[in-house]
Each structure stands twice: as structure tokens, then as C-alpha cells.
């Protein structure tokens, strides 16, 4: 069984994958100082809840956008799973990067592209709702053409609350109605954050589609995508495990070519 590790800026997600099917997934807050020993204590208990132990894992793959977290995760694979982890992106991604700085494409975004192109034909726009909200464009051949990096919705709310002393901290949620005229402070903040974000997504998708000049499907992923998934007119599909699927595909292609 494959242990796939997606180390993001906010959380590290661990998933057990068998034949590209996710058997279990767990997340823990990202902390580059967390040691291999600390990881395994936590992970062993979760494996036990699934009726498994570490011997069930025969391969490890790591995708990370936090370089400082990589060493301890590699040590976890070596010390407790008796294997050298495959690092996503080492040796290339296996698709064309038609951009000015191909070396700067984040692992999570590259993995999303791999998984999306495998499952969907044609031009694609992938929106990943994480610490940042990213838009990635791949064409019908699977080539990466570029994208957008915007502040994540939590970052936007944190900045608003931090800079305005009298504004309260609120939970991010879909407003009860579609009205954009708030009658109190909390409603006005919720409308600004939520419907403001919807407007940004709709506007950027419309501009991107116009620039592509061909039909393009919109795929949403990331932990916060579910907030907007109910608005069916924004996305063509919601795939919460796109990055993990990309890790599984990358592993399969390296170890079972053809």
C-alpha cells in the first residue's frame, strides 16, 4: 500500500492508497519542526484504527510546498517504513511547462494538473482553494500554460480583521440568502468575504476562458472548495482529492510504466 504525503502550508495530509483508491486519509497542522518520531506516534494510532500497522505500507511518496518540512518526512519513511520516499517533481513532472519560470511551479499545482488531465479531456482550469487560491490552466495536450495566485479566503479574512480594530472575527460560511446588502456588521463582512470571492472566481474564470478561446472545464479542489461547490454555475466538477490522486499517478508511472 502507498503512503502519499501532501505537505501544504497549512496542513500535511497523509493518505493510504491502494490501486489508486484512497483507503484512508488524515491531516495534521504543518509544523516543519515536527520530527519523524512525532509523526509516527500520531500515524501509528490512526493506522491501528483502520486495523493496519506500518508493515502495510510498501512505498512512500511526498509532495511538498514547504521545503523545511521535507527532511523530517523523509526520515519518517526511512526510519519507520524502511524505504526511501519518492519526492514529487524530482526528475521532472512528465508534462510540458509552457511558462517563464517552470522551476517555480508548486508541487501541489503540478500534481493537480497531472490528475486533472488524466481524468478529463480538453482544456482545463483548475482552482485550488487552500492557503492561497490558485488557478491553473492546462491545454488539451496536458501542457501547463500558467495561472493565477490570489490570497486564500482565510488570509483575506485574517487581513481584514487584523487591520480593522472594531471588526469581529467571524466564521467563513455561505450567507443565508443571496442578498449582497447586509443589515448588520457580521452579515456585511460575510457578504464581502463570500460573495466577493464568488465574484472574483466568476470574473477570473470568464477572463481565462475568453483568453483560451476554446471551451474549458473548471475543476475545483482544496479544503475550502466545498464552501462554493453548492453554486453549480461556478464549477463543472468538484474533486477534493486531486492532489492525492496526482501523487498516486506519479508513483504508478514511475514504478509501473506503461
Amino acid at each position: 500500500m502507498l503512503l502519499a504525503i501532501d505537505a501544504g502550508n497549512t496542513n500535511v495530509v497523509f493518505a493510504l492508497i491502494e490501486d489508486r483508491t484512497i483507503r484512508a486519509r488524515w491531516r495534521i497542522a504543518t509544523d516543519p519542526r515536527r520530527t519523524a518520531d512525532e509523526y509516527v506516534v500520531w500515524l501509528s494510532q490512526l493506522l491501528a484504527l483502520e486495523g493496519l500497522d506500518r508493515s502495510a505500507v510498501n512505498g512512500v511518496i511526498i509532495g511538498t510546498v514547504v521545503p523545511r518540512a521535507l527532511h523530517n518526512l523523509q526520515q519518517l519513511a526511512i526510519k519507520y517504513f524502511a524505504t526511501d520516499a519518492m519526492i514529487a517533481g524530482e526528475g521532472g513532472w512528465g508534462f510540458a511547462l509552457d511558462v517563464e519560470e517552470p522551476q517555480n511551479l508548486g508541487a501541489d499545482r503540478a500534481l493537480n494538473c497531472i490528475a486533472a488531465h488524466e481524468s478529463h479531456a480538453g482544456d482545463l482550469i483548475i482552482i485550488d482553494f487552500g492557503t492561497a487560491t490558485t488557478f491553473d490552466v492546462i491545454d488539451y495536450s496536458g501542457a501547463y500554460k500558467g495561472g493565477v495566485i490570489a490570497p486564500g479566503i482565510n488570509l483575506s479574512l485574517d487581513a481584514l480583521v487584523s487591520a480593522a480594530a472594531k471588526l469581529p472575527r467571524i466564521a467563513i460560511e455561505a450567507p443565508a440568502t443571496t442578498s449582497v446588502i447586509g443589515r448588520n456588521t457580521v452579515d456585511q463582512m460575510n457578504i464581502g468575504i463570500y460573495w466577493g470571492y464568488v465574484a472574483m472566481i466568476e470574473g477570473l474564470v470568464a477572463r481565462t476562458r475568453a483568453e483560451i478561446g476554446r471551451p474549458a472545464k473548471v475543476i475545483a479542489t482544496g479544503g475550502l472548495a466545498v464552501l462554493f461547490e453548492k453554486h453549480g454555475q461556478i464549477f463543472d466538477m468538484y474533486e477534493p482529492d486531486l492532489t492525492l490522486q496526482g501523487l498516486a499517478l506519479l508513483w504508478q508511472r514511475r514504478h509501473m510504466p506503461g
Side-chain angles (χ1 to χ4, degrees), residues 65-253:
V65 295
V66 185
R68 288 179 55 223
L70 180 58
H71 174 74
N72 287 332
L73 291 169
Q74 288 178 297
Q75 289 304 304
L76 172 69
I78 293 168
K79 186 174 181 180
Y80 291 107
F81 294 100
T83 186
D84 289 320
M86 176 180 171
I87 310 303
E90 286 191 353
W93 291 109
F95 60 91
L97 297 171
D98 186 15
V99 289
E100 294 177 0
E101 300 173 333
Q103 73 279 7
N104 289 336
L105 179 63
D108 52 350
R109 301 172 74 182
L111 292 162
N112 288 345
C113 291
I114 290 169
H117 181 67
E118 175 75 9
S119 300
H120 305 285
D123 294 85
L124 303 173
I125 302 167
I126 304 161
I127 310 176
D128 191 342
F129 293 86
T131 306
T133 298
T134 58
F135 294 67
D136 292 304
V137 178
I138 53 177
D139 69 12
Y140 54 87
S141 72
Y144 180 74
K145 308 300 287 187
V148 174
I149 302 173
I153 191 168
N154 276 316
L155 285 179
S156 298
L157 180 59
D158 288 345
L160 179 64
V161 173
S162 298
K166 294 185 69 174
L167 292 182
R169 181 164 297 280
I170 63 171
I172 299 172
E173 57 187 2
T177 73
T178 57
S179 172
V180 293
I181 302 175
R183 303 277 290 172
N184 57 65
T185 299
V186 170
D187 284 352
Q188 290 172 18
M189 290 176 66
N190 203 9
I191 288 166
I193 290 291
Y194 187 85
W195 289 117
Y197 234 72
V198 169
M200 180 193 76
I201 297 162
E202 290 174 335
L204 284 173
V205 166
R207 285 174 174 267
T208 302
R209 279 178 163 153
E211 194 166 334
I212 292 171
R214 295 181 298 271
K217 294 177 183 175
V218 178
I219 302 171
T221 192
L224 295 173
V226 69
L227 281 171
F228 306 97
E229 193 266 335
K230 65 176 64 176
H231 296 283
Q233 70 273 20
I234 301 179
F235 314 133
D236 293 299
M237 56 213 71
Y238 169 51
E239 299 188 3
D241 296 316
L242 206 58
T243 310
L244 294 174
Q245 291 166 5
L247 284 167
L249 268 168
L250 203 61
W251 174 272
Q252 183 183 62
R253 291 174 182 178

